[in-house]
Amino acid sequence: MSKGVYGAEAIEVLSDFFASAGMNATPVEGEPAFKLVLGGEHGLMPAMAGLLLERHQLITYVAAPSNCPEDRRAAVAEFVARANWGLPMGNFEIDLDDGSIRFKSSVDYENVGLTPELVRNVFAPAAFTMDRYLQGLLAVMFGNTDPAEIIEAIESDAADIVG
């Protein structure tokens, strides 16, 4: 395992992680962060990974490709609450004002330093989880799909019901 780093070296670890994974991550101007678009099994997902340098924290967000229409936000909030129940790492978030939905995962690397392994262990579950739930999320956002039924289908791996 690599030795962990802090400060500007942590930004380099994050940059190198994306480069070595073949991900086209763009630095966010003036911030210790990168943005990119992930191609998942169920669609494209905007993503961001950033460092809170003074707190020694890495936070990743993988977002839904579009915002939820206002009239479906209550149903999507139910979907988010049901999806979050029992998740071992990270959580879904919905902004009820603009309808944006994202999955957040983070780690505090104080006393251990940031390593490529920590970046992978934070970023990969966020990407995987958003992709796993994305098709159902979109069905709730843009249809009349019942949140409880779609979560049950996703979590039982009944892909034919989701699609």
Side-chain angles (χ1 to χ4, degrees):
M1 175 145 61
S2 358
K3 184 177 183 212
V5 297
Y6 296 90
E9 290 178 330
I11 298 167
E12 225 174 286
V13 167
L14 195 54
S15 177
D16 291 348
F17 169 81
F18 290 124
S20 69
M23 298 179 183
N24 188 19
T26 305
V28 176
E29 190 173 332
E31 299 291 331
F34 294 85
K35 60 183 178 178
L36 61 153
V37 176
L38 301 172
E41 189 176 321
H42 299 108
L44 296 177
M45 304 167 291
M48 190 278 295
L51 298 168
L52 299 175
L53 294 171
E54 68 286 348
R55 295 182 183 178
H56 306 122
Q57 295 173 343
L58 166 64
I59 301 174
T60 63
Y61 296 104
V62 180
S66 56
N67 289 8
C68 181
E70 192 169 353
D71 66 327
R72 296 298 296 160
R73 291 183 191 161
V76 169
E78 179 184 344
F79 176 95
V80 164
R82 290 179 181 280
N84 280 338
W85 183 257
L87 283 177
M89 293 181 66
N91 62 283
F92 283 95
E93 301 177 333
I94 179 171
D95 182 325
L96 293 173
D97 292 326
D98 72 7
S100 60
I101 299 117
R102 62 191 183 184
F103 189 86
K104 176 180 71 179
S105 185
S106 59
V107 68
D108 184 317
Y109 57 90
E110 187 171 8
N111 298 322
V112 294
L114 191 64
T115 65
E117 295 85 2
L118 279 176
V119 176
R120 180 195 64 231
N121 291 349
V122 171
F123 195 77
F128 171 80
T129 304
M130 178 55 93
D131 189 50
R132 178 178 184 211
Y133 286 84
L134 184 59
Q135 198 172 8
L137 173 62
L138 294 174
V140 174
M141 284 170 63
F142 298 110
N144 288 319
T145 304
D146 178 75
E149 288 178 15
I150 202 73
I151 290 295
E152 184 178 334
I154 292 166
E155 294 178 353
S156 69
D157 292 323
D160 57 326
I161 297 171
V162 177

